[in-house]
PDB file of all heavy atoms in Angstrom:
ATOM      1  N   VAL A   1     119.449 271.568 158.404  1.00  0.00           N
ATOM      2  CA  VAL A   1     119.556 271.849 156.974  1.00  0.00           C
ATOM      3  C   VAL A   1     120.725 271.074 156.389  1.00  0.00           C
ATOM      4  O   VAL A   1     121.841 271.123 156.909  1.00  0.00           O
ATOM      5  CB  VAL A   1     119.725 273.361 156.731  1.00  0.00           C
ATOM      6  CG1 VAL A   1     119.824 273.659 155.245  1.00  0.00           C
ATOM      7  CG2 VAL A   1     118.563 274.142 157.347  1.00  0.00           C
ATOM      8  N   ALA A   2     120.463 270.380 155.292  1.00  0.00           N
ATOM      9  CA  ALA A   2     121.476 269.558 154.632  1.00  0.00           C
ATOM     10  C   ALA A   2     122.582 270.421 154.018  1.00  0.00           C
ATOM     11  O   ALA A   2     122.322 271.539 153.565  1.00  0.00           O
ATOM     12  CB  ALA A   2     120.834 268.718 153.536  1.00  0.00           C
ATOM     13  N   PRO A   3     123.808 269.890 153.982  1.00  0.00           N
ATOM     14  CA  PRO A   3     124.929 270.637 153.387  1.00  0.00           C
ATOM     15  C   PRO A   3     124.704 270.968 151.905  1.00  0.00           C
ATOM     16  O   PRO A   3     125.173 271.981 151.425  1.00  0.00           O
ATOM     17  CB  PRO A   3     126.134 269.702 153.540  1.00  0.00           C
ATOM     18  CG  PRO A   3     125.730 268.628 154.469  1.00  0.00           C
ATOM     19  CD  PRO A   3     124.237 268.603 154.532  1.00  0.00           C
ATOM     20  N   GLN A   4     123.951 270.120 151.202  1.00  0.00           N
ATOM     21  CA  GLN A   4     123.720 270.347 149.779  1.00  0.00           C
ATOM     22  C   GLN A   4     122.931 271.623 149.494  1.00  0.00           C
ATOM     23  O   GLN A   4     122.986 272.144 148.397  1.00  0.00           O
ATOM     24  CB  GLN A   4     122.970 269.160 149.145  1.00  0.00           C
ATOM     25  CG  GLN A   4     123.679 267.838 149.266  1.00  0.00           C
ATOM     26  CD  GLN A   4     123.264 267.069 150.512  1.00  0.00           C
ATOM     27  OE1 GLN A   4     123.015 267.646 151.572  1.00  0.00           O
ATOM     28  NE2 GLN A   4     123.193 265.750 150.398  1.00  0.00           N
ATOM     29  N   ILE A   5     122.206 272.092 150.481  1.00  0.00           N
ATOM     30  CA  ILE A   5     121.410 273.319 150.289  1.00  0.00           C
ATOM     31  C   ILE A   5     121.835 274.396 151.284  1.00  0.00           C
ATOM     32  O   ILE A   5     121.034 275.228 151.697  1.00  0.00           O
ATOM     33  CB  ILE A   5     119.891 273.043 150.358  1.00  0.00           C
ATOM     34  CG1 ILE A   5     119.506 272.417 151.690  1.00  0.00           C
ATOM     35  CG2 ILE A   5     119.437 272.205 149.186  1.00  0.00           C
ATOM     36  CD1 ILE A   5     118.013 272.404 151.930  1.00  0.00           C
ATOM     37  N   ARG A   6     123.095 274.388 151.637  1.00  0.00           N
ATOM     38  CA  ARG A   6     123.624 275.370 152.580  1.00  0.00           C
ATOM     39  C   ARG A   6     123.324 276.806 152.127  1.00  0.00           C
ATOM     40  O   ARG A   6     123.128 277.703 152.941  1.00  0.00           O
ATOM     41  CB  ARG A   6     125.131 275.172 152.761  1.00  0.00           C
ATOM     42  CG  ARG A   6     125.701 275.962 153.907  1.00  0.00           C
ATOM     43  CD  ARG A   6     127.122 275.557 154.220  1.00  0.00           C
ATOM     44  NE  ARG A   6     127.240 274.167 154.618  1.00  0.00           N
ATOM     45  CZ  ARG A   6     127.169 273.743 155.874  1.00  0.00           C
ATOM     46  NH1 ARG A   6     126.982 274.592 156.844  1.00  0.00           N
ATOM     47  NH2 ARG A   6     127.295 272.473 156.163  1.00  0.00           N
ATOM     48  N   HIS A   7     123.258 277.017 150.824  1.00  0.00           N
ATOM     49  CA  HIS A   7     122.957 278.347 150.301  1.00  0.00           C
ATOM     50  C   HIS A   7     121.561 278.831 150.697  1.00  0.00           C
ATOM     51  O   HIS A   7     121.260 280.013 150.609  1.00  0.00           O
ATOM     52  CB  HIS A   7     123.132 278.378 148.772  1.00  0.00           C
ATOM     53  CG  HIS A   7     122.209 277.447 148.047  1.00  0.00           C
ATOM     54  ND1 HIS A   7     122.415 276.070 148.017  1.00  0.00           N
ATOM     55  CD2 HIS A   7     121.078 277.674 147.351  1.00  0.00           C
ATOM     56  CE1 HIS A   7     121.446 275.508 147.317  1.00  0.00           C
ATOM     57  NE2 HIS A   7     120.621 276.456 146.904  1.00  0.00           N
ATOM     58  N   ARG A   8     120.715 277.928 151.147  1.00  0.00           N
ATOM     59  CA  ARG A   8     119.368 278.302 151.582  1.00  0.00           C
ATOM     60  C   ARG A   8     119.236 278.298 153.106  1.00  0.00           C
ATOM     61  O   ARG A   8     118.143 278.470 153.632  1.00  0.00           O
ATOM     62  CB  ARG A   8     118.346 277.342 150.986  1.00  0.00           C
ATOM     63  CG  ARG A   8     118.283 277.448 149.480  1.00  0.00           C
ATOM     64  CD  ARG A   8     116.877 277.250 149.029  1.00  0.00           C
ATOM     65  NE  ARG A   8     116.754 277.524 147.625  1.00  0.00           N
ATOM     66  CZ  ARG A   8     116.090 276.779 146.781  1.00  0.00           C
ATOM     67  NH1 ARG A   8     115.476 275.705 147.206  1.00  0.00           N
ATOM     68  NH2 ARG A   8     116.003 277.111 145.514  1.00  0.00           N
ATOM     69  N   PHE A   9     120.341 278.101 153.803  1.00  0.00           N
ATOM     70  CA  PHE A   9     120.286 278.003 155.263  1.00  0.00           C
ATOM     71  C   PHE A   9     119.660 279.242 155.895  1.00  0.00           C
ATOM     72  O   PHE A   9     118.795 279.125 156.761  1.00  0.00           O
ATOM     73  CB  PHE A   9     121.681 277.760 155.851  1.00  0.00           C
ATOM     74  CG  PHE A   9     121.669 277.694 157.357  1.00  0.00           C
ATOM     75  CD1 PHE A   9     121.221 276.557 158.000  1.00  0.00           C
ATOM     76  CD2 PHE A   9     122.070 278.771 158.129  1.00  0.00           C
ATOM     77  CE1 PHE A   9     121.173 276.487 159.386  1.00  0.00           C
ATOM     78  CE2 PHE A   9     122.030 278.719 159.509  1.00  0.00           C
ATOM     79  CZ  PHE A   9     121.574 277.570 160.138  1.00  0.00           C
ATOM     80  N   ASP A  10     120.093 280.433 155.489  1.00  0.00           N
ATOM     81  CA  ASP A  10     119.563 281.666 156.102  1.00  0.00           C
ATOM     82  C   ASP A  10     118.052 281.776 155.929  1.00  0.00           C
ATOM     83  O   ASP A  10     117.348 282.192 156.847  1.00  0.00           O
ATOM     84  CB  ASP A  10     120.254 282.893 155.516  1.00  0.00           C
ATOM     85  CG  ASP A  10     121.710 283.004 155.935  1.00  0.00           C
ATOM     86  OD1 ASP A  10     122.096 282.365 156.942  1.00  0.00           O
ATOM     87  OD2 ASP A  10     122.469 283.724 155.262  1.00  0.00           O
ATOM     88  N   GLN A  11     117.562 281.370 154.765  1.00  0.00           N
ATOM     89  CA  GLN A  11     116.119 281.406 154.491  1.00  0.00           C
ATOM     90  C   GLN A  11     115.380 280.457 155.444  1.00  0.00           C
ATOM     91  O   GLN A  11     114.373 280.833 156.046  1.00  0.00           O
ATOM     92  CB  GLN A  11     115.876 280.993 153.042  1.00  0.00           C
ATOM     93  CG  GLN A  11     114.431 280.755 152.689  1.00  0.00           C
ATOM     94  CD  GLN A  11     114.274 280.034 151.347  1.00  0.00           C
ATOM     95  OE1 GLN A  11     115.238 279.809 150.629  1.00  0.00           O
ATOM     96  NE2 GLN A  11     113.061 279.655 151.031  1.00  0.00           N
ATOM     97  N   VAL A  12     115.883 279.247 155.597  1.00  0.00           N
ATOM     98  CA  VAL A  12     115.247 278.264 156.473  1.00  0.00           C
ATOM     99  C   VAL A  12     115.348 278.708 157.928  1.00  0.00           C
ATOM    100  O   VAL A  12     114.389 278.618 158.688  1.00  0.00           O
ATOM    101  CB  VAL A  12     115.876 276.869 156.277  1.00  0.00           C
ATOM    102  CG1 VAL A  12     115.346 275.875 157.304  1.00  0.00           C
ATOM    103  CG2 VAL A  12     115.625 276.367 154.857  1.00  0.00           C
ATOM    104  N   LYS A  13     116.515 279.202 158.334  1.00  0.00           N
ATOM    105  CA  LYS A  13     116.717 279.631 159.725  1.00  0.00           C
ATOM    106  C   LYS A  13     115.765 280.764 160.087  1.00  0.00           C
ATOM    107  O   LYS A  13     115.233 280.797 161.199  1.00  0.00           O
ATOM    108  CB  LYS A  13     118.168 280.062 159.950  1.00  0.00           C
ATOM    109  CG  LYS A  13     118.408 280.518 161.387  1.00  0.00           C
ATOM    110  CD  LYS A  13     119.756 280.128 161.877  1.00  0.00           C
ATOM    111  CE  LYS A  13     120.081 280.602 163.266  1.00  0.00           C
ATOM    112  NZ  LYS A  13     119.067 280.483 164.261  1.00  0.00           N
ATOM    113  N   LYS A  14     115.518 281.668 159.177  1.00  0.00           N
ATOM    114  CA  LYS A  14     114.601 282.779 159.442  1.00  0.00           C
ATOM    115  C   LYS A  14     113.192 282.249 159.752  1.00  0.00           C
ATOM    116  O   LYS A  14     112.546 282.701 160.695  1.00  0.00           O
ATOM    117  CB  LYS A  14     114.566 283.719 158.238  1.00  0.00           C
ATOM    118  CG  LYS A  14     113.714 284.938 158.442  1.00  0.00           C
ATOM    119  CD  LYS A  14     113.782 285.862 157.244  1.00  0.00           C
ATOM    120  CE  LYS A  14     112.902 287.067 157.432  1.00  0.00           C
ATOM    121  NZ  LYS A  14     112.912 287.951 156.268  1.00  0.00           N
ATOM    122  N   VAL A  15     112.752 281.270 158.991  1.00  0.00           N
ATOM    123  CA  VAL A  15     111.431 280.671 159.225  1.00  0.00           C
ATOM    124  C   VAL A  15     111.428 279.934 160.562  1.00  0.00           C
ATOM    125  O   VAL A  15     110.495 280.049 161.352  1.00  0.00           O
ATOM    126  CB  VAL A  15     111.047 279.728 158.069  1.00  0.00           C
ATOM    127  CG1 VAL A  15     109.753 278.989 158.381  1.00  0.00           C
ATOM    128  CG2 VAL A  15     110.912 280.501 156.763  1.00  0.00           C
ATOM    129  N   ALA A  16     112.491 279.170 160.825  1.00  0.00           N
ATOM    130  CA  ALA A  16     112.584 278.419 162.082  1.00  0.00           C
ATOM    131  C   ALA A  16     112.638 279.354 163.281  1.00  0.00           C
ATOM    132  O   ALA A  16     111.972 279.121 164.287  1.00  0.00           O
ATOM    133  CB  ALA A  16     113.813 277.507 162.059  1.00  0.00           C
ATOM    134  N   ASP A  17     113.407 280.425 163.185  1.00  0.00           N
ATOM    135  CA  ASP A  17     113.484 281.399 164.273  1.00  0.00           C
ATOM    136  C   ASP A  17     112.120 281.999 164.557  1.00  0.00           C
ATOM    137  O   ASP A  17     111.751 282.206 165.715  1.00  0.00           O
ATOM    138  CB  ASP A  17     114.490 282.504 163.947  1.00  0.00           C
ATOM    139  CG  ASP A  17     115.936 282.057 164.034  1.00  0.00           C
ATOM    140  OD1 ASP A  17     116.201 280.939 164.540  1.00  0.00           O
ATOM    141  OD2 ASP A  17     116.819 282.819 163.576  1.00  0.00           O
ATOM    142  N   GLY A  18     111.364 282.265 163.495  1.00  0.00           N
ATOM    143  CA  GLY A  18     110.021 282.823 163.662  1.00  0.00           C
ATOM    144  C   GLY A  18     109.082 281.874 164.393  1.00  0.00           C
ATOM    145  O   GLY A  18     108.131 282.298 165.034  1.00  0.00           O
ATOM    146  N   ALA A  19     109.363 280.575 164.300  1.00  0.00           N
ATOM    147  CA  ALA A  19     108.544 279.564 164.967  1.00  0.00           C
ATOM    148  C   ALA A  19     109.186 279.094 166.277  1.00  0.00           C
ATOM    149  O   ALA A  19     108.708 278.153 166.901  1.00  0.00           O
ATOM    150  CB  ALA A  19     108.341 278.372 164.039  1.00  0.00           C
ATOM    151  N   ASN A  20     110.277 279.757 166.689  1.00  0.00           N
ATOM    152  CA  ASN A  20     111.014 279.385 167.911  1.00  0.00           C
ATOM    153  C   ASN A  20     111.484 277.939 167.893  1.00  0.00           C
ATOM    154  O   ASN A  20     111.399 277.230 168.906  1.00  0.00           O
ATOM    155  CB  ASN A  20     110.184 279.666 169.167  1.00  0.00           C
ATOM    156  CG  ASN A  20     109.976 281.140 169.381  1.00  0.00           C
ATOM    157  OD1 ASN A  20     110.900 281.933 169.200  1.00  0.00           O
ATOM    158  ND2 ASN A  20     108.763 281.523 169.741  1.00  0.00           N
ATOM    159  N   VAL A  21     111.968 277.484 166.739  1.00  0.00           N
ATOM    160  CA  VAL A  21     112.513 276.140 166.580  1.00  0.00           C
ATOM    161  C   VAL A  21     114.011 276.271 166.335  1.00  0.00           C
ATOM    162  O   VAL A  21     114.421 276.951 165.399  1.00  0.00           O
ATOM    163  CB  VAL A  21     111.839 275.400 165.400  1.00  0.00           C
ATOM    164  CG1 VAL A  21     112.486 274.046 165.165  1.00  0.00           C
ATOM    165  CG2 VAL A  21     110.344 275.254 165.641  1.00  0.00           C
ATOM    166  N   PRO A  22     114.858 275.652 167.181  1.00  0.00           N
ATOM    167  CA  PRO A  22     116.298 275.722 166.956  1.00  0.00           C
ATOM    168  C   PRO A  22     116.644 275.154 165.574  1.00  0.00           C
ATOM    169  O   PRO A  22     116.089 274.140 165.161  1.00  0.00           O
ATOM    170  CB  PRO A  22     116.904 274.837 168.047  1.00  0.00           C
ATOM    171  CG  PRO A  22     115.816 274.561 169.015  1.00  0.00           C
ATOM    172  CD  PRO A  22     114.514 274.814 168.321  1.00  0.00           C
ATOM    173  N   CYS A  23     117.550 275.818 164.875  1.00  0.00           N
ATOM    174  CA  CYS A  23     117.889 275.418 163.517  1.00  0.00           C
ATOM    175  C   CYS A  23     119.402 275.454 163.334  1.00  0.00           C
ATOM    176  O   CYS A  23     120.058 276.397 163.785  1.00  0.00           O
ATOM    177  CB  CYS A  23     117.218 276.365 162.527  1.00  0.00           C
ATOM    178  SG  CYS A  23     117.513 275.973 160.795  1.00  0.00           S
ATOM    179  N   GLY A  24     119.929 274.435 162.689  1.00  0.00           N
ATOM    180  CA  GLY A  24     121.360 274.389 162.429  1.00  0.00           C
ATOM    181  C   GLY A  24     121.667 273.530 161.228  1.00  0.00           C
ATOM    182  O   GLY A  24     120.819 272.777 160.746  1.00  0.00           O
ATOM    183  N   PRO A  25     122.893 273.632 160.730  1.00  0.00           N
ATOM    184  CA  PRO A  25     123.291 272.819 159.583  1.00  0.00           C
ATOM    185  C   PRO A  25     123.657 271.402 160.000  1.00  0.00           C
ATOM    186  O   PRO A  25     124.102 271.164 161.118  1.00  0.00           O
ATOM    187  CB  PRO A  25     124.522 273.554 159.052  1.00  0.00           C
ATOM    188  CG  PRO A  25     125.098 274.228 160.254  1.00  0.00           C
ATOM    189  CD  PRO A  25     123.932 274.576 161.142  1.00  0.00           C
ATOM    190  N   ILE A  26     123.452 270.478 159.097  1.00  0.00           N
ATOM    191  CA  ILE A  26     123.915 269.107 159.303  1.00  0.00           C
ATOM    192  C   ILE A  26     125.373 269.059 158.878  1.00  0.00           C
ATOM    193  O   ILE A  26     125.707 269.478 157.773  1.00  0.00           O
ATOM    194  CB  ILE A  26     123.093 268.110 158.471  1.00  0.00           C
ATOM    195  CG1 ILE A  26     121.683 268.002 159.040  1.00  0.00           C
ATOM    196  CG2 ILE A  26     123.767 266.735 158.440  1.00  0.00           C
ATOM    197  CD1 ILE A  26     120.802 267.047 158.295  1.00  0.00           C
ATOM    198  N   PRO A  27     126.265 268.576 159.748  1.00  0.00           N
ATOM    199  CA  PRO A  27     127.665 268.494 159.364  1.00  0.00           C
ATOM    200  C   PRO A  27     127.866 267.472 158.246  1.00  0.00           C
ATOM    201  O   PRO A  27     127.202 266.430 158.242  1.00  0.00           O
ATOM    202  CB  PRO A  27     128.378 268.050 160.642  1.00  0.00           C
ATOM    203  CG  PRO A  27     127.335 267.688 161.625  1.00  0.00           C
ATOM    204  CD  PRO A  27     126.007 268.123 161.104  1.00  0.00           C
ATOM    205  N   PRO A  28     128.764 267.760 157.302  1.00  0.00           N
ATOM    206  CA  PRO A  28     128.993 266.831 156.185  1.00  0.00           C
ATOM    207  C   PRO A  28     129.358 265.415 156.635  1.00  0.00           C
ATOM    208  O   PRO A  28     128.994 264.445 155.979  1.00  0.00           O
ATOM    209  CB  PRO A  28     130.154 267.475 155.423  1.00  0.00           C
ATOM    210  CG  PRO A  28     130.086 268.920 155.774  1.00  0.00           C
ATOM    211  CD  PRO A  28     129.549 268.971 157.180  1.00  0.00           C
ATOM    212  N   GLN A  29     130.049 265.270 157.774  1.00  0.00           N
ATOM    213  CA  GLN A  29     130.437 263.940 158.243  1.00  0.00           C
ATOM    214  C   GLN A  29     129.237 263.086 158.650  1.00  0.00           C
ATOM    215  O   GLN A  29     129.369 261.894 158.874  1.00  0.00           O
ATOM    216  CB  GLN A  29     131.485 264.007 159.349  1.00  0.00           C
ATOM    217  CG  GLN A  29     131.069 264.745 160.588  1.00  0.00           C
ATOM    218  CD  GLN A  29     131.415 266.232 160.555  1.00  0.00           C
ATOM    219  OE1 GLN A  29     131.379 266.853 159.504  1.00  0.00           O
ATOM    220  NE2 GLN A  29     131.729 266.805 161.697  1.00  0.00           N
ATOM    221  N   ALA A  30     128.057 263.684 158.707  1.00  0.00           N
ATOM    222  CA  ALA A  30     126.854 262.929 159.035  1.00  0.00           C
ATOM    223  C   ALA A  30     126.515 261.914 157.945  1.00  0.00           C
ATOM    224  O   ALA A  30     125.769 260.980 158.187  1.00  0.00           O
ATOM    225  CB  ALA A  30     125.671 263.874 159.236  1.00  0.00           C
ATOM    226  N   TYR A  31     127.076 262.088 156.775  1.00  0.00           N
ATOM    227  CA  TYR A  31     126.794 261.187 155.663  1.00  0.00           C
ATOM    228  C   TYR A  31     127.771 260.016 155.603  1.00  0.00           C
ATOM    229  O   TYR A  31     127.765 259.240 154.672  1.00  0.00           O
ATOM    230  CB  TYR A  31     126.805 261.959 154.341  1.00  0.00           C
ATOM    231  CG  TYR A  31     125.654 262.927 154.258  1.00  0.00           C
ATOM    232  CD1 TYR A  31     125.785 264.231 154.710  1.00  0.00           C
ATOM    233  CD2 TYR A  31     124.425 262.527 153.758  1.00  0.00           C
ATOM    234  CE1 TYR A  31     124.718 265.116 154.657  1.00  0.00           C
ATOM    235  CE2 TYR A  31     123.358 263.401 153.703  1.00  0.00           C
ATOM    236  CZ  TYR A  31     123.515 264.698 154.151  1.00  0.00           C
ATOM    237  OH  TYR A  31     122.457 265.562 154.100  1.00  0.00           O
ATOM    238  N   SER A  32     128.603 259.872 156.615  1.00  0.00           N
ATOM    239  CA  SER A  32     129.555 258.764 156.680  1.00  0.00           C
ATOM    240  C   SER A  32     128.878 257.557 157.320  1.00  0.00           C
ATOM    241  O   SER A  32     127.771 257.673 157.866  1.00  0.00           O
ATOM    242  CB  SER A  32     130.780 259.174 157.500  1.00  0.00           C
ATOM    243  OG  SER A  32     130.441 259.256 158.864  1.00  0.00           O
ATOM    244  N   PRO A  33     129.544 256.388 157.308  1.00  0.00           N
ATOM    245  CA  PRO A  33     128.942 255.206 157.934  1.00  0.00           C
ATOM    246  C   PRO A  33     128.615 255.391 159.418  1.00  0.00           C
ATOM    247  O   PRO A  33     127.713 254.747 159.932  1.00  0.00           O
ATOM    248  CB  PRO A  33     130.019 254.128 157.753  1.00  0.00           C
ATOM    249  CG  PRO A  33     130.766 254.557 156.541  1.00  0.00           C
ATOM    250  CD  PRO A  33     130.771 256.068 156.592  1.00  0.00           C
ATOM    251  N   LEU A  34     129.327 256.255 160.111  1.00  0.00           N
ATOM    252  CA  LEU A  34     129.054 256.507 161.526  1.00  0.00           C
ATOM    253  C   LEU A  34     128.255 257.797 161.711  1.00  0.00           C
ATOM    254  O   LEU A  34     128.291 258.409 162.774  1.00  0.00           O
ATOM    255  CB  LEU A  34     130.365 256.582 162.312  1.00  0.00           C
ATOM    256  CG  LEU A  34     131.223 255.310 162.264  1.00  0.00           C
ATOM    257  CD1 LEU A  34     132.549 255.532 162.958  1.00  0.00           C
ATOM    258  CD2 LEU A  34     130.482 254.145 162.884  1.00  0.00           C
TER     259      LEU A  34
END
């Protein structure tokens, strides 16, 4: 889940958990050149 929609993380995680798919936030530093 992108940092821009962190407020929706719990909603997405609930759906992912129901499908047994690991779910986590993307760290903000992921948007850097590296």
